[in-house]
Amino acid sequence: MATTPMSTPRAESLSMLDTLNHAQRRAVCSDASTVAIMAGPGSGKTHTLTSRVVWLVDALAYQPQNVIVATFTVKAAREMRARIGKALSHGRHNKLVLGTFHSISRRYLAAYGAHIGLDQKFGIADDGDSRAILSRICKRLQLSLDPVQARSWISKRKAKGSKWTPTLLGRQRSGEAADFSRAYETCYQEYQDHLQRSNLLDYDDLLVRCVELLQKHPACVSNVQAVLIDEYQDTNGIQYDLMRLLAQKHKRITIVGDPDQSIYGWRSAEIANLRRLFDDFPQTDQISLEENYRSSQAILDTALTVIQQDEKRYKKVLRPVHDRGTRPTLRRLKTSADEAGWIVSEIRRIQMFSGNMMGPEDMAILLRSAALSRQVEAALGKAGIAYRMIGGFKFYERAEIKVLLDYLRVIHQPDNNDALARIINVPKRGIGDTTVKALLEEAEQSSESLWSLLIKHCRGDRIAKTNIKRTVEQRINGELIRLVLDIQKKIRQTPENAPFTLVDIIDEVLTRLSFDKYLRDTYRDDHEQRWANIQEFRLLANDFMRGNAADLDDELPQVDGLEQAEEADILTKFLANVSLASDAQNKGQDQESMPMVTVSTIHAAKGLEWPVVFIPAAYQGSIPHMRSDDTDEERRLLYVAMTRAKVLMYASCPLLSTSYGGQAEVELSSFLEPVAHIFGRIGPSFEPQRLAIMGKILGRQVPTQKSIFDSLPIGVSPNDDLYPEDPTAAQVMGTVKSHWNDPSSGMPPQKRPRLVSTTSNAGAGEDFVPGKYYATTMEQHATFTMASQLEFAAAASHQATPPMTEPGRIVPPTKSSKKGKTTATAGQTTLTGFMQRNSTEIKTEETAFPTQSDLRRPRPDARIPGPLIECGKKPDPLTLNTELARHKIEPVRAAKRMAQAARSPSPTYAGKYVQFSSSPPRPPSPADAARGRTADTTAGFQKSSAGKPHPAPTRAPPSLHNTTFNIQRQAAGVKRPAGLARPHDSAAALQKLRKPFRPLTMNRP
DNA sequence: CATTGAAGGTTTTTT
DNA sequence: ACCTTCAATG
Ligand SMILES: Nc1ncnc2c1ncn2[C@@H]1O[C@H](COP(=O)(O)OP(=O)(O)OP(=O)(O)O)[C@@H](O)[C@H]1O
C-alpha cells in the first residue's frame, strides 16, 4: 500500500491546515527552529502539536523516523499517535519516534547502551523494587532514614539533571543536617551500586543514562530533525537536558504547555524550564493560543475564578468560542455514599433527559486520589453502569501478577536479587525472611548475586554460610532453580521455526508451579478472580507478541558511525513494556464498543476531555490534599479537572467523608468556598433550549422532545431531587414531599401526590431496567408538538400507578428511608413545567452570573428557562419538532471532532435551526446513507441502526473494572448484558465480566 | 526458623 | 478496608 499513495502528501497537510485557526496555523507552519506554544486549556495545543508533526513530515518531508515526539504518559503517547495516524497516510505515524521520555530513553539505551557500558539486558526497577532495595540498605547501614524519603531524595536529585549542584545539600549547616545529607549520599551510593549489580535501572536512571549516552555519543541522534514535546510544563531538569540533547543536531524544538496546568511538581517538574528554554534559545518563536474550543463559557469562567486565586500566576487570555451554556453545579451531600449515589442519578438523568445525546461514554468522574473511587465504583456497580477506571491501582501491581512477573524477571535476568528474593518462598518452600535476608547479606558480601550463591550451594560447589535446611534446599533446587534453568535453556535452544514464545514461557511457569493450586491455597475467597487475572495476563502477553511483530516498530533508525545492538529478545521487551506502561491496555473489542463512564484520577485525565465531568470529594483534605504542601499545585489540579468539561461540570462535597476509621466531618474545598455562589446548588434541568446549546457545543444533533419523552420511564423526575439540596436539613422519614412546583403560578411549590409510589423500596436492590418501563407511544407523530407532549405527560401521570413491583422511578440504591424532603429550588423544573414554556418566554437569564444576593431568594428560573440561543430568530417549538423530524437523527455518538471542527455548517441546517448545531452530526455511516437521510421521520434517535428499539439509558452492567468490589457487585445481583453472554461461550463471557482489567483506551470524544 | 493469627497504623498524584 | 508488624505456636 505504501507503494501507491492514494493521496499526495501535500494534500494531507493542506487539509489539516483547515482545521486550525490563525494562531494555530502560524504555530504549525512556523519556520523558526524553536517554537513555544503557551496557552490555556482547550485551546488546541495538542491539536496544534500533532498538526505540526503532520506538517513537518508531510509538507516538509521530514522522515518520520527522524522526528521525536515526547509525552508524559503512555496514554497521551497513544492518543497522539492515533491522532497523527488520522492525518498521515501510509502508516508514517508508526515510524515516528513517539513515546514518553522514559520509553524513548529506553529505546536509545537498548540500542546504544553498550557504548556507555550498559548491559543490553538491563531491567527496569519499579517503585516497589526501589523501595525494597532502599529499605534494606537503610537497615543494613543502620541509617536513620525513611526509605521512602530517601527514594524521593534520590529521585529528585537525579531529576535535577545538569542543574544539580552540591549546594543543594546545604553547605555548612549544623552538624546534624550535614550528617543527614551524608547519610543520603551514602544511601544513594549504595543504592546505585546495588542497581548496577542487579543490572537494573530505575525510572530516573533511564533518563540519566540516556543523557550520558547522548552526551558521549551525539551520533546516536545525528538523524534527528525535530523534537516536539507536549505538556512541557511538566518537564523536569533531566528531561530538559534530554530534550536539548535529542535535538542537538538541528536544534529544532517545538514545545506546548500551560503553566497553569503544571501538576507534577512533586515529580520535580519545573515550570522554570520555560524560562530556561527562552534563555537557551533566544530566537524562540513564541505563540499563544487564546481561544478555548472545549468548554462552555460558564465552565471556563468558573474554572478561571479558581485559578485566578493564584496571584503569582502569569495571566493569559482565554476566550471561549462557545455559548455561555449551563452553569456548573456544586452539590452538597450528606455522605460520600450519597455523593456517589447522586452522581449515578445524575448520570442517568443526563442520559435520559438529553435523549441519549450524552451517554456513559461522555461522562467522567475525576478524583484527587484513586482511593476515592471506592464509593463511586460501588455505586456505579450497584446501579449497573459500566465504567472504566484509569489511574490508581494497576493491573501489573496485583499480587498474583507480580509473582508471575518476578518469575519472568528471574528467568530473564537471574541476577536480579530482588525479584529472586521475592519469589524464593512463593509458593511456600519453607524458607523464611530471616534466611533469605541472611543469604542476601552473604551474597552481597562476596559480591555475587543471590542466584549464583544458590546455584553454587545446591551444586555443592560452595556451601553457604547461612544454614539452609536439607528439605528446603531440595525444594529450591528442584522447583525453582530447575524451572528457571530449564526455561532459559528452552528459550536458547529453540529452533527458529518453532520458537518457545512468551506465552509458552508463562504457561510453563504456571504449570510447573501449579499456580492454580497456589492461588487456591493462598486466596481462598477469590482465587477464581486471581486466576482470571493470570489468564488475562496471558492474553496480554499474547497481544504483545503479535503487536510487536505487527504494527509499530520501536526500533531506532540506523545512524552512521555507531553500532546498534541487535534487537533484544521478546522477554526483555515485554518486561520493559510492563514497567513503563502505566497500565495494561488490551485490544479487546467488547470493551471498546461498550459505552462506559470513565473514572479517573485528575492526573491521569490531563489532556483529555468529556462533555460531562464530575468532581466529587471537593473538600479540604482531598483538594487541597492534606499531604500536599503545595497549595497552588492543588489548585491547579482542580483547575485541570474543571477544564476537562465541555458542557456540564459538577463539583460535589459531602458533609461526612468516609475515611478509614469511620466518618469525619469535612469542609468544602477552600478553592471553591469563595466562588461557591457561582455554581448552581443542584443539577440543571434539561429544557430544550439548554439542550440545544449543549448540542451546539458538542456538535451533536439534539433529539426531538418527543423521542426524549417517549423513552422516559414512567414517573421519573426531571430534576436533581433524589437527594436533599441541603443535606444539613432535617430529614423527614416516610413521607415524601412533592417537589413538583407549579410553573404557571408564582406560588410556592404545591403539594401534589407523587406520580409514583416512592415508599416502596422496589428500587432499592433492583436495577433500573430501561426499556421495560417506557411510556405509551404516541400515535400522531407528525402532529407532535409541545402541546401534545403536555397531554402525554398528563396521560402518563394518570397511568402511572404502577404495581409495587415496578420501580416507577429511579431510586438511589440506598435505602428508601433515606429519601428526604426536598423543596423546589432555583433551577428546578418539572416535566410539565418546562414543556409548557415556550420560546417567547426565553430571556437572557444565564448570560451573567447571578450575584450572591440573587441566590438567596428563589431564583426565577424555575419558570424562565436558561440559555439563550444566539441566533436571530426565536425557535418555534412546533416548527422545530416537525421540521426536525424530517431528518433522520442518528444515534448519537461521539463525533470525530477534528473532522467536525473542519466542517462548516451544512446548508440544510444553516439558518433554520441554528440552535441545534453549528455543524452537522457525525458523517452518516454507509448504511445510513443507503437508507437515505430523510427516510424515517418518526423514529427519532431511538431506533438505533442496529434495529434495537430504545438503546438503554443505562446499559446492563458489565463489571469491567475489578477491585474488591467486584465480588460485592455480583452479590448485589447485577444483571449482565445480554450481548456479552455469548451463546457459544458463555463461560468465557462470564469470565470476561469478572475481568479485573481496565482497558486504558480512552476515546477523546 | 517458618507460619499463623491478631492488633495497629495507614491512604496523593506517575514513569 | 488493607497492609505491615508483632507475638504465639508448630
Ligand atoms: N481550530 C480549532 N477549531 C475547532 N476546534 C478546535 C480547534 N483547535 C482545537 N479544537 C478542539 O478543541 C479541543 C481541545 O483541543 P486540545 O485537546 O488540543 O486542547 P489543549 O490545548 O491541548 O487542551 P489541554 O491543555 O487541556 O490539554 C479539542 O476538542 C479540539 O478538537
Side-chain angles (χ1 to χ4, degrees):
Chain A
M1 73 174 184
T3 48
T4 50
M6 304 284 288
S7 53
T8 64
R10 273 306 156 84
E12 278 171 21
S13 41
L14 288 180
S15 75
M16 175 271 294
L17 289 181
D18 289 343
T19 68
L20 304 170
N21 68 28
H22 180 74
Q24 291 172 333
R25 198 170 313 153
R26 192 166 91 69
V28 166
C29 308
S30 170
D31 49 20
S33 57
T34 20
V35 178
I37 302 160
M38 282 291 136
S43 55
K45 292 187 298 296
T46 309
H47 181 49
T48 305
L49 191 78
T50 50
S51 302
R52 185 159 169 88
V53 173
V54 173
W55 176 257
L56 295 176
V57 171
D58 197 61
L60 304 190
Y62 287 10
Q63 290 301 305
Q65 62 271 24
N66 297 340
V67 174
I68 294 181
V69 188
T71 63
F72 277 83
T73 62
V74 182
K75 190 149 40 73
R78 260 202 302 267
E79 177 77 26
M80 180 93 57
R81 198 184 286 277
R83 282 213 206 176
I84 296 172
K86 278 188 193 137
L88 271 188
S89 56
H90 315 125
R92 279 177 290 176
H93 63 290
N94 282 332
K95 298 207 186 100
L96 292 163
V97 179
L98 186 157
T100 61
F101 274 106
H102 292 88
S103 89
I104 292 171
S105 299
R106 201 220 101 239
R107 271 180 255 177
Y108 273 98
L109 292 174
Y112 302 108
H115 298 282
I116 54 165
L118 192 68
D119 181 333
Q120 194 210 3
K121 283 182 84 178
F122 67 87
I124 297 170
D126 63 27
D127 248 355
D129 296 326
S130 301
R131 215 160 347 109
I133 294 168
L134 279 168
S135 50
R136 238 177 318 127
I137 289 173
C138 289
K139 220 166 247 170
R140 182 158 50 86
L141 299 182
Q142 310 223 310
L143 299 170
S144 54
L145 296 178
D146 173 18
V148 179
Q149 274 182 356
R151 162 115 186 80
S152 102
W153 185 89
I154 292 171
S155 174
K156 285 218 171 78
R157 171 162 173 179
K158 288 178 181 172
K160 287 275 177 198
S162 61
K163 280 206 11 197
W164 184 80
T165 41
T167 52
L168 274 173
L169 295 172
R171 296 151 256 210
Q172 299 296 318
R173 279 180 307 189
S174 71
E176 203 182 321
D179 280 353
F180 219 59
S181 55
R182 235 190 332 272
Y184 275 126
E185 285 291 343
T186 324
C187 201
Y188 179 37
Q189 285 298 330
E190 286 289 322
Y191 173 72
Q192 289 306 120
D193 285 353
H194 183 99
L195 287 180
Q196 182 143 32
R197 275 200 300 276
S198 306
N199 196 18
L200 288 172
L201 297 184
D202 72 10
Y203 288 124
D204 302 303
D205 283 336
L206 286 172
L207 306 178
V208 173
R209 300 305 301 273
C210 190
V211 163
E212 182 191 340
L213 169 72
L214 299 187
Q215 274 167 346
K216 291 188 180 152
H217 302 278
C220 301
V221 287
S222 56
N223 66 308
V224 174
Q225 295 274 11
V227 172
L228 301 97
I229 300 188
D230 197 13
E231 311 278 14
Y232 180 78
Q233 74 280 356
D234 292 325
T235 48
N236 59 31
I238 190 86
Q239 284 160 339
Y240 182 84
D241 294 342
L242 193 55
M243 171 189 86
R244 287 194 57 174
L245 286 165
L246 286 169
Q248 58 187 307
K249 181 75 180 283
H250 293 287
K251 308 211 165 31
R252 273 195 283 264
I253 299 174
T254 301
I255 59 116
V256 221
D258 176 7
D260 290 336
Q261 294 188 65
S262 160
I263 54 177
Y264 283 100
W266 51 275
R267 231 173 72 179
S268 312
E270 288 178 35
I271 308 186
N273 277 349
L274 189 57
R275 176 84 274 134
R276 234 175 137 190
L277 183 85
F278 293 142
D279 289 348
D280 290 350
F281 304 94
Q283 305 299 318
T284 299
D285 188 5
Q286 219 181 120
I287 294 167
S288 58
L289 309 176
E290 304 184 338
E291 270 136 353
N292 175 294
Y293 290 93
R294 178 182 295 141
S295 312
S296 72
Q297 191 182 342
I299 290 172
L300 198 61
D301 286 351
T302 310
L304 285 173
T305 64
V306 169
I307 198 67
Q308 278 160 1
Q309 295 164 15
D310 183 351
E311 275 137 24
K312 285 163 288 182
R313 89 182 247 280
Y314 175 78
K315 293 178 187 63
K316 293 189 295 296
V317 181
L318 194 58
R319 285 185 301 272
V321 303
H322 292 301
D323 292 322
R324 173 151 287 280
T326 307
R327 223 180 165 200
T329 303
L330 175 56
R331 190 70 151 89
R332 300 301 307 258
L333 283 305
K334 198 159 165 232
T335 62
S336 307
D338 276 3
E339 188 180 32
W342 165 76
I343 289 175
V344 165
S345 74
E346 282 299 282
I347 288 173
R348 287 169 159 167
R349 202 171 64 92
I350 293 165
Q351 183 164 15
M352 282 189 288
F353 286 90
S354 74
N356 275 345
M357 182 176 78
M358 292 177 278
E361 199 63 35
D362 300 319
M363 313 197 198
I365 301 165
L366 305 183
L367 309 163
R368 167 69 246 260
S369 53
L372 293 167
S373 75
R374 290 242 170 99
Q375 346 267 344
V376 173
E377 290 191 64
L380 288 172
K382 216 164 176 182
I385 295 173
Y387 64 94
R388 62 167 78 80
M389 175 77 201
I390 295 174
F393 273 161
K394 284 164 195 157
F395 180 73
Y396 295 130
E397 294 198 339
R398 293 171 174 283
E400 64 278 12
I401 301 295
K402 267 168 81 178
V403 170
L404 188 48
L405 274 172
D406 277 332
Y407 271 95
L408 297 182
R409 291 166 97 185
V410 170
I411 290 165
H412 170 245
Q413 181 66 258
D415 290 341
N416 185 335
N417 283 5
D418 305 282
L420 180 57
R422 277 191 299 261
I423 53 161
I424 194 165
N425 197 29
V426 179
K428 294 218 153 50
R429 300 190 175 101
I431 183 170
D433 287 349
T434 328
T435 314
V436 174
K437 214 161 255 168
L439 285 171
L440 277 172
E441 284 302 315
E442 193 180 332
E444 205 128 320
Q445 249 141 55
S446 53
S447 46
E448 62 180 338
S449 69
L450 177 60
W451 174 255
S452 64
L453 184 77
L454 282 176
I455 294 259
K456 282 179 189 155
H457 179 85
C458 291
R459 285 204 190 121
D461 291 355
R462 195 196 100 183
I463 303 300
K465 273 180 272 161
T466 315
N467 184 33
I468 304 177
K469 275 195 221 136
R470 192 92 208 135
T471 49
V472 173
E473 182 191 317
Q474 274 167 1
R475 292 190 73 180
I476 287 177
N477 194 10
E479 291 170 27
L480 187 97
I481 296 182
R482 184 84 46 80
L483 168 81
V484 172
L485 290 176
D486 283 355
I487 293 180
Q488 285 177 336
K489 197 160 136 201
K490 282 192 183 168
I491 295 173
R492 246 179 294 115
Q493 297 188 342
T494 192
E496 282 289 309
N497 50 354
F500 194 66
T501 65
L502 196 52
V503 176
D504 293 331
I505 298 172
I506 293 171
D507 284 342
E508 176 114 5
V509 172
L510 293 177
T511 335
R512 301 229 338 216
L513 292 176
S514 308
F515 212 76
D516 49 344
K517 184 176 173 301
Y518 157 71
L519 288 178
R520 266 199 306 277
D521 295 344
T522 322
Y523 308 98
R524 241 157 260 159
D525 302 334
D526 60 347
H527 65 270
E528 283 180 14
Q529 176 61 62
R530 312 247 176 188
W531 183 246
N533 291 345
I534 295 289
Q535 292 308 315
E536 180 63 42
F537 182 80
R538 251 186 108 248
L539 290 179
L540 280 167
N542 196 40
D543 277 354
F544 181 81
M545 282 193 318
R546 278 196 313 220
N548 196 59
D551 43 29
L552 27 139
D553 55 327
D554 58 355
E555 299 299 296
L556 296 169
Q558 291 288 341
V559 293
D560 292 336
L562 208 62
E563 189 135 340
Q564 250 187 51
E566 271 194 25
E567 191 182 328
D569 60 66
I570 184 105
L571 191 52
T572 311
K573 279 191 176 178
F574 180 67
L575 290 173
N577 194 284
V578 166
S579 304
L580 291 182
S582 54
D583 205 349
Q585 171 209 28
N586 86 339
K587 300 179 175 171
Q589 302 79 27
D590 282 349
Q591 287 136 8
E592 302 281 291
S593 55
M594 175 92 52
M596 282 186 278
V597 171
T598 300
V599 182
S600 170
T601 59
I602 299 174
H603 284 91
K606 194 163 65 149
L608 305 181
E609 59 187 20
W610 294 269
V612 183
V613 166
F614 293 90
I615 308 168
Y619 52 82
Q620 285 299 100
S622 176
I623 276 204
H625 198 274
M626 61 205 282
R627 295 174 67 111
S628 165
D629 39 32
D630 187 344
T631 321
D632 291 334
E633 181 156 310
E634 296 292 305
R635 190 185 295 108
R636 291 194 292 268
L637 205 44
L638 181 59
Y639 176 68
V640 168
M642 292 171 93
T643 53
R644 300 307 95 198
K646 291 181 170 183
V647 297
L648 288 174
M649 193 260 284
Y650 292 86
S652 59
C653 174
L655 294 176
L656 300 168
S657 86
T658 322
S659 42
Y660 46 97
Q663 299 196 311
E665 277 188 35
V666 288
E667 284 172 9
L668 180 63
S669 164
S670 57
F671 304 139
L672 292 179
E673 175 81 77
V675 295
H677 61 279
I678 294 175
F679 292 79
R681 307 218 303 159
I682 54 166
S685 57
F686 291 86
E687 298 94 347
Q689 291 77 19
R690 205 172 262 178
L691 268 185
I693 290 198
M694 295 183 198
K696 187 176 163 193
I697 294 176
L698 298 175
R700 298 183 186 182
Q701 191 67 273
V702 182
T704 62
Q705 289 293 296
K706 171 184 159 37
S707 57
I708 292 176
F709 288 105
D710 263 2
S711 58
L712 283 183
I714 293 168
V716 68
S717 167
N719 295 322
D720 173 11
D721 56 9
L722 282 175
Y723 295 85
E725 178 189 337
D726 180 1
T728 56
Q731 310 243 328
V732 182
M733 309 280 277
T735 56
V736 180
K737 286 220 180 150
S738 167
H739 56 283
W740 295 83
N741 61 343
D742 187 344
S744 59
S745 74
M747 301 297 284
Q750 277 182 297
K751 255 192 185 178
R752 208 184 278 174
R754 222 183 233 297
L755 290 181
V756 205
S757 160
T758 49
T759 47
S760 92
N761 64 351
E766 215 173 317
D767 293 321
F768 165 59
V769 181
K772 218 166 155 185
Y773 306 110
Y774 49 82
T776 330
T777 319
M778 297 293 293
E779 300 300 324
Q780 319 106 299
H781 308 287
T783 58
F784 189 75
T785 61
M786 289 295 226
S788 65
Q789 281 180 357
L790 231 190
E791 282 168 25
F792 154 67
S797 72
H798 289 311
Q799 298 172 347
T801 327
M804 296 293 272
T805 47
E806 268 190 15
R809 56 173 274 148
I810 307 171
V811 185
T814 47
K815 280 171 251 123
S816 60
S817 63
K818 270 206 177 162
K819 253 167 287 145
K821 145 181 154 169
T822 44
T823 42
T825 21
Q828 294 264 56
T829 33
T830 65
L831 262 182
T832 46
F834 79 71
M835 283 186 297
Q836 259 181 357
R837 211 174 292 137
N838 66 42
S839 55
T840 54
E841 286 176 30
I842 300 176
K843 300 276 148 54
T844 59
E845 182 257 318
E846 282 202 6
T847 49
F849 284 131
T851 63
Q852 225 155 344
S853 59
D854 278 345
L855 280 153
R856 289 202 191 96
R857 48 174 196 267
R859 283 208 308 162
D861 81 343
R863 304 194 45 216
I864 303 167
L868 180 68
I869 302 134
E870 286 178 22
C871 73
K873 283 180 198 123
K874 293 170 206 145
D876 174 323
L878 189 130
T879 324
L880 269 180
N881 280 296
T882 49
E883 284 285 331
L884 197 74
R886 295 228 181 96
H887 300 279
K888 160 107 177 128
I889 303 168
E890 296 157 276
V892 184
R893 256 206 261 138
K896 295 190 180 81
R897 56 182 170 154
M898 274 171 56
Q900 287 240 323
R903 218 165 287 131
S904 50
S906 120
T908 327
Y909 295 102
K912 269 191 188 166
Y913 358 97
V914 199
Q915 69 279 17
F916 279 93
S917 172
S918 61
S919 49
R922 135 196 103 82
S925 69
D928 288 332
R931 255 176 283 143
R933 303 205 79 222
T934 57
D936 192 343
T937 54
T938 57
F941 76 104
Q942 284 291 348
K943 280 209 178 124
S944 76
S945 41
K948 279 190 207 150
H950 299 276
T954 50
R955 297 261 180 123
S959 21
L960 289 162
H961 173 56
N962 169 45
T963 58
T964 42
F965 283 96
N966 200 17
I967 304 143
Q968 279 185 19
R969 206 179 305 153
Q970 300 208 329
V974 168
K975 300 196 180 70
R976 302 220 159 69
L980 265 169
R982 301 247 173 66
H984 64 272
D985 193 2
S986 52
L990 263 173
Q991 197 81 292
K992 277 228 149 126
L993 286 170
R994 286 207 204 96
K995 191 152 49 178
F997 164 61
R998 305 152 307 215
L1000 254 196
T1001 5
M1002 182 194 284
N1003 297 321
R1004 285 213 202 186

